[in-house]
Amino acid sequence: MDAKIWLDVILAVAGAVYLLSVLWLVIGLHRPTPAPARLPLPALSIIVAARNEEQALPACLAALRGQSYAGEWEVIVVDDRSSDRTGELVEQMAQEWPALSLVRASQQLVFRCPKKSALAQGIAAAKGEILLFTDADCRPPSAWARETAALFAKDVGLVAGHARPQRGFSFVQRLLALDNLAVGALGAGSFAMGKPLSCTGRNLAYRRQVYEELGGFSRIGHLVGGDDVYFMRLVTQSGRWRQVFNRSAAVSCLPVSAQWAQILHQKMRHAAKGGHYGG
């Protein structure tokens, strides 16, 4: 068999694998969304790690303050060693919003990843049974906390959701928005098929019990980034909890940067995670 035939065979096999993978995801996307759990409303802790976010944070906190959750809930902002007025801004808002509190991250990192270190301090200060996470440049809809909490049936340990960037004006921003949509579909489809492949810390929640059972971020603390995907994979590996995707409350975020240097750095950081997925 000559080289051309071998190449044709390889391309045919690769194409078949790709098409089967897409079909698998499409089936997942068409599966019905799990019905909300009819359980007592759990206490929630919404945690935001913020570093030099004085410009974006006020809109994020305004969106969080407008949550329609009827149970007990709090918002914790972790000031991750900011050099701007991020911490001061949170303290000012907390004076007239009792549910808001500030945690100042230690200068000494607990983990290699600064965000994991900041989030761990926020979780340590949290009082809620369910921990919700988003970023300072995000705007969760008013039903976000309520609809996320409603998916926590007794056997559900983690709930993920989509985070979509606001529409930018440049071609690059629109192309990256399409890329983001594809990743969101990958997450939604794979979660529905019981084999989660992707999630984002911009729209994520899990039980405190799950966090404690897995030892927090200690098993992934040596890895840069991945406070969301790596942790999700730990939950999957444990085999003890079901994970679901919240399709009804997507979080809106500021448009992605159109600067090529930042784009390449972000994509290289995301691609580097694959080497630690373990299959």
Side-chain angles (χ1 to χ4, degrees):
M1 193 178 293
D2 60 29
K4 183 180 183 304
I5 296 177
W6 274 114
L7 179 60
D8 289 342
V9 171
I10 292 172
L11 289 175
V13 171
V17 170
Y18 177 79
L19 289 175
L20 288 173
S21 301
V22 171
L23 177 62
W24 181 76
L25 290 172
V26 169
I27 292 173
L29 287 171
H30 284 83
R31 284 191 169 182
T33 303
R38 298 184 180 277
L39 300 171
L41 296 177
L44 308 181
S45 292
I46 301 173
I47 302 172
V48 181
R51 180 175 174 83
N52 295 331
E53 295 284 5
E54 66 172 329
Q55 298 298 323
L57 190 57
C60 175
L61 293 179
L64 293 177
R65 191 169 187 176
Q67 294 299 301
S68 59
Y69 189 64
E72 178 183 349
W73 59 286
E74 64 177 347
V75 176
I76 297 173
V77 176
V78 185
D79 180 9
D80 187 11
R81 301 163 297 129
S82 298
S83 58
D84 64 2
R85 296 179 60 255
T86 294
E88 181 182 340
L89 183 151
V90 176
E91 288 179 327
Q92 291 175 353
M93 295 188 68
Q95 292 178 5
E96 44 88 28
W97 182 15
L100 175 65
S101 61
L102 172 70
V103 171
R104 293 191 181 275
S106 171
Q107 294 294 324
Q108 184 69 35
L109 297 181
V110 179
F111 304 111
R112 184 182 178 191
C113 173
K115 188 177 181 182
K116 288 196 192 87
S117 299
L119 290 176
Q121 288 188 250
I123 293 172
K127 302 173 184 176
E129 172 188 351
I130 305 295
L131 308 173
L132 285 81
F133 302 90
T134 191
D135 285 352
D137 64 343
C138 295
R139 315 287 183 264
S142 60
W144 175 62
R146 171 170 53 83
E147 295 186 359
T148 300
L151 292 173
F152 276 94
K154 291 183 179 180
D155 62 338
V156 172
L158 182 147
V159 174
H162 184 49
R164 59 170 180 258
Q166 297 172 6
R167 186 172 181 176
F169 295 102
S170 74
F171 171 77
V172 173
Q173 288 176 317
R174 295 186 182 191
L175 186 62
L176 291 173
L178 178 62
D179 173 67
N180 179 80
L181 182 63
V183 174
L186 175 68
S190 61
F191 266 79
M193 296 299 283
K195 299 291 184 182
L197 296 176
S198 177
C199 68
T200 173
R202 294 172 172 236
N203 189 350
L204 186 66
Y206 42 81
R207 294 182 183 275
R208 174 189 289 277
Q209 180 182 348
V210 172
Y211 177 81
E212 293 174 349
E213 284 180 357
L214 295 174
F217 299 131
S218 60
R219 292 165 60 185
I220 55 175
H222 63 291
L223 301 172
V224 177
D227 54 276
D228 41 23
V229 177
Y230 290 152
F231 188 82
M232 176 204 74
R233 294 184 70 84
L234 289 181
V235 178
T236 302
Q237 291 167 13
S238 73
R240 297 193 55 184
W241 296 93
R242 191 160 58 91
Q243 303 178 78
V244 301
F245 198 91
N246 180 6
R247 303 185 190 184
S248 59
V251 169
S252 173
C253 308
L254 293 179
V256 295
S257 170
Q259 298 182 10
W260 282 107
Q262 294 184 23
I263 293 170
L264 290 174
H265 179 266
Q266 181 192 60
K267 293 303 177 185
M268 290 177 65
R269 180 165 49 86
H270 290 173
K273 296 178 184 178
H276 303 285
Y277 283 176

